[in-house]
Structures are given as C-alpha cells and as structure tokens.
Amino acid sequence: MDILGVVATALWAMLPAYVPNNAAVLAGGGRPIDGGRTMGGRRVLGDGKTWRGTLAGTLAGTALALALSAVTPTVSDVVGYSLPRFPLLAGLGLAFGAMLGDIGASFVKRRSGRERGAAFPGLDQLDFVVGALLCAFVLAPSWFARTFTLPVVVAILLVTPLLHVVTNGIAYLLGLKNEPW
C-alpha cells in the first residue's frame, strides 16, 4: 500500500476514536465520574469527566463506526483504497477506549498538579489514541491485526497530533473550549 493508502486507512480507522471526546464536550455536564473525590488533596479526575459525556462519546463513536461500515464499499471505490469495515466490537473498542484514554490522562494530569484545561504536550494529543488502540485490540483482536499494521500506526501517531491541534483551535475559536489545546 502506498503512503496515501496508509494515511487514508489510518484516518478512516481512527474516525470512531476521533469523535468521542468532541461529542463528550457537546453533551458534557452532569455528574463527575469521580463524584468530587480527592486523592492527595487533588481531585481524582475533575468536573470535566462526567458519566453523561463518557456515555455520549462512546455512543457517538460507536454509531459513527456502524455508519462508516455501511458506506465503506462506496467510499473505498471513490478514494481508490480498500478501507476497513468496523465490526460492532471494534467500533465500541475505539470509541470507549478513546474515552478511557482521556480519563486516564486526566488522572495523570491531576497527579502531576495540573489543573483542568492545563496543557500537557504529548499526553493531550495521544491519550485517546492509546486507549482506543488498546480497547480495540482487546475487543476485536483479529480486526485490529488486519487494520492497524505498523505503517498505519505510524501514520496515526504522526497525523493525530496535528489534527488535535487544528480541531482544538477551531473549537476554541467557536467558543466550545476554554483553551486552544
């Protein structure tokens, strides 16, 4: 597969993981997952990680995976590359894993003394990727092995930080985020 095919596959395969955190922001609010609890004098996660946002993000990413599967043959013909379909468990793993990765990053940020919204370069851009890939591997291992070849994973690790910065900048300009990272 040439480089354009690798990038197309990487972006397509990660779409169900790219959407959940944005959906969580839009649906946010509600009860914090940590219930206000603290650890070492700091919140465990903070008010930004809610049950409603986690559920909304997971559902949005999973629904997107199912919708993408329905149009995969047509899109594959249009772009000229064979793109992967998403079994339900793969879509669920990508979406829920993205949410878990973000929740894990929040935990690490609180332990390191960072407040909600504070930048943590590297972690902010790749937390959800690690969570999504791990959960997809656990829930759909054969699909994962066929889809996430080494070149595709490298493309994801290179393209995702750029996409993250651009989309967060847009959300900030639109007033959907309080900080541009």
Side-chain angles (χ1 to χ4, degrees):
M1 181 181 323
D2 65 22
I3 191 154
L4 289 177
V6 168
V7 172
T9 299
L11 292 173
W12 183 262
M14 287 301 289
L15 277 172
Y18 288 154
V19 167
N21 285 311
N22 299 316
V25 169
L26 295 174
R31 246 184 37 188
I33 293 171
D34 68 10
R37 288 184 288 283
T38 61
M39 176 186 274
R42 294 187 182 104
R43 285 288 296 275
V44 174
L45 299 174
D47 288 337
K49 303 301 170 224
T50 66
W51 291 109
R52 182 186 316 156
T54 301
L55 179 61
T58 300
L59 291 175
T62 304
L64 177 61
L66 296 176
L68 291 174
S69 283
V71 299
T72 296
T74 302
V75 176
S76 292
D77 288 344
V78 169
V79 299
Y81 296 103
S82 179
L83 300 170
R85 288 187 178 195
F86 298 88
L88 176 61
L89 288 178
L92 178 63
L94 289 166
F96 185 60
M99 297 306 300
L100 286 180
D102 193 56
I103 290 167
S106 183
F107 180 80
V108 169
K109 285 174 133 180
R110 299 301 89 76
R111 304 294 64 77
S112 69
R114 288 175 172 82
E115 294 300 319
R116 179 179 177 194
F120 198 133
L123 184 67
D124 287 334
Q125 292 77 32
L126 295 173
D127 56 351
F128 71 96
V129 170
V130 172
L133 293 176
L134 286 173
C135 278
F137 173 74
V138 169
L139 293 180
S142 61
W143 176 86
F144 179 92
R146 284 190 313 274
T147 304
F148 292 107
T149 62
L150 182 59
V152 168
V153 171
V154 169
I156 290 165
L157 295 176
L158 293 174
V159 172
T160 298
L162 176 64
L163 284 174
H164 190 269
V165 169
V166 170
T167 57
N168 280 339
I170 292 168
Y172 174 74
L173 292 174
L174 293 174
L176 298 172
K177 290 192 67 154
N178 295 329
E179 59 283 321
W181 50 81

